[in-house]
Amino acid sequence: MQRLLDGLIKFRQKDYEEHKALFSKLKRVQEPHTLFIACSDSRVMPEMITKSLPGELFVVRNIANIVPPYKDTHQDYVATTSAIEYAVKSLKVENIVVCGHSNCGGCASIYLPDEILSKLPDTKKWLELAHNVKRRVMGHLKDESDIYQREWLTEQINILEQIKHLLTYPYIKEKYLNKELNIYGFYYMIETGEVFIFNYETGEFELSN
């Protein structure tokens, strides 16, 4: 906690002063250009990765950067869905990024035995949304004993599955088809700092930096 308190002081003395005019501009309004859906993993820092300033990203974070499919009735996962709705309808963001990452504990957890997941009931319920990811990975996996290949496939297929879920939202699909909204898939490698972006034409994640 002392580190956090020291950080507050350093922020106020250095970062705030450096961007004082920006913070003054942001005091009554935000106009983010991008909805950034990321994992809650402590090693993933959207603003650091993209070098974004305050006011640029509207960030949603949850375990395994999951997007619940759209329902036209009230559903259980409103923390994420309400944030998506607000970003697209009220803030009118121009872009949506779904950002997965290497060594994702959430993605790995979908393979845990039931006796372990049952001890984490809320996590287990949440990861039900990734059931189709697991099915797709097992269909692609040539060697089920290759844990590293399974990890890599799961993390990247999960990104694509969440983009698919985004397009079940009528208001997102309409804007996307009218080219009023861009949707991107990012894959961040923690150990190298590399970010791969999904290319819809080639069907592959390609190095961006």
Side-chain angles (χ1 to χ4, degrees):
M1 178 55 68
Q2 189 57 49
R3 289 188 63 183
L4 297 182
L5 297 176
D6 291 343
L8 295 177
I9 295 171
K10 290 178 182 178
F11 162 75
R12 183 63 178 82
Q13 293 177 343
K14 184 178 184 298
D15 299 280
Y16 172 79
E17 288 298 327
E18 183 178 345
H19 300 290
K20 192 171 183 177
L22 174 60
F23 282 111
S24 179
K25 179 182 178 181
L26 293 173
K27 67 180 179 181
R28 298 292 296 173
V29 65
Q30 62 166 324
E31 296 179 331
H33 51 70
T34 298
L35 165 61
F36 202 100
I37 302 172
C39 183
S40 297
D41 193 295
S42 61
R43 300 165 295 177
V44 179
M45 301 180 67
E47 290 83 1
M48 178 180 286
I49 295 169
T50 61
K51 298 302 294 181
S52 297
L53 292 172
E56 291 192 84
L57 302 182
F58 190 80
V59 180
V60 176
R61 302 185 67 163
N62 59 50
I63 293 176
N65 43 271
I66 288 174
V67 175
Y70 177 80
K71 290 183 180 179
D72 58 5
T73 56
H74 180 73
Q75 59 176 312
D76 298 328
Y77 309 106
V78 294
T80 293
T81 58
S82 62
I84 292 171
E85 178 184 73
Y86 186 75
V88 176
K89 288 189 173 183
S90 295
L91 298 177
K92 302 186 187 306
V93 294
E94 301 169 7
N95 313 292
I96 301 178
V97 171
V98 177
C99 182
H101 66 95
S102 61
N103 190 233
C104 178
C107 286
S109 294
I110 67 176
Y111 300 100
L112 291 175
D114 192 62
E115 57 265 29
I116 294 179
L117 278 178
S118 293
K119 297 176 183 178
L120 303 166
D122 290 333
T123 303
K124 179 182 178 182
K125 178 66 176 176
W126 178 252
L127 292 177
E128 288 178 0
L129 293 169
H131 175 77
N132 198 47
V133 174
K134 181 178 179 180
R135 183 188 63 78
R136 289 177 61 185
V137 170
M138 299 311 291
H140 282 85
L141 202 60
K142 296 178 181 179
D143 180 3
E144 293 187 17
S145 66
D146 189 340
I147 301 301
Y148 293 106
Q149 185 189 30
R150 188 184 75 180
E151 179 181 285
W152 180 83
L153 276 173
T154 303
E155 291 157 357
Q156 296 198 1
I157 288 178
N158 182 54
I159 295 168
L160 303 182
E161 187 70 12
Q162 306 321 313
I163 290 175
K164 180 180 176 182
H165 288 180
L166 280 171
L167 291 172
T168 65
Y169 291 66
Y171 56 88
I172 290 179
K173 184 175 182 179
E174 181 182 5
K175 284 178 173 288
Y176 180 75
L177 292 177
N178 290 334
K179 301 187 184 303
E180 298 172 358
L181 182 66
N182 304 304
I183 301 178
Y184 301 94
F186 285 13
Y187 181 65
Y188 169 54
M189 294 287 291
I190 294 172
E191 61 270 39
T192 65
E194 295 171 313
V195 176
F196 296 80
I197 299 179
F198 185 71
N199 185 321
Y200 288 92
E201 294 184 0
T202 65
E204 296 180 351
F205 283 86
E206 299 177 354
L207 182 64
S208 66
N209 61 343

